[in-house]
Amino acid sequence: MESISQKLEGNFFGEFIYSTEKGAFLRMFDDKNSWPKTTLIYVDFINLKVTEINRNNSSWNVWKGENLGNGKYSIEISPTESIEFQT
C-alpha cells in the first residue's frame, strides 16, 4: 500500500486547505508550472488514504470550504462552481 507521503511526493500545493475532523482538503498541482490546472484532493488521516476528487482549470485563488453536516462538505472552486464530497 502506498503511503500518504509517497502519494503526495513530487506535487505542489496551493494556499487552500480546509480541515475536517478526520482529514483535510487540499489544492494540488502536478508541478510548479501547471497552474491553473489543479486537483482537489482529500487526505483522510484516519484511513491513511488520498482521494482525488476533481481535476479542473480553476484560476480562482480564493477557494472556500463549508461543512454541510453528516460528513458532507462543499468546496467552492470559483464564484459559480462548488464541489460536494462525502467523507
Side-chain angles (χ1 to χ4, degrees):
M1 182 166 124
E2 191 175 36
S3 72
I4 289 176
S5 63
Q6 289 170 321
K7 180 83 171 165
L8 301 179
E9 186 175 0
N11 293 293
F12 293 81
F13 299 88
E15 294 179 13
F16 172 76
I17 183 170
Y18 185 77
S19 298
T20 71
E21 290 180 17
K22 299 177 182 179
F25 292 94
L26 301 170
R27 183 178 189 175
M28 184 174 77
F29 299 90
D30 292 335
D31 61 56
K32 62 183 177 180
N33 297 313
S34 65
W35 186 89
K37 295 178 184 174
T38 186
T39 304
L40 173 63
I41 65 169
Y42 183 72
V43 181
D44 182 330
F45 299 132
I46 303 299
N47 297 307
L48 303 176
K49 68 179 189 174
V50 176
T51 303
E52 288 189 12
I53 300 168
N54 175 275
R55 287 183 146 316
N56 60 71
N57 288 319
S58 175
S59 61
W60 197 46
N61 287 330
V62 193
W63 286 21
K64 298 176 185 173
E66 180 182 0
N67 185 343
L68 301 175
N70 297 319
K72 190 171 190 177
Y73 296 87
S74 176
I75 307 299
E76 187 177 308
I77 65 167
S78 80
T80 60
E81 185 178 2
S82 294
I83 298 165
E84 291 187 2
F85 183 74
Q86 181 77 42
T87 59

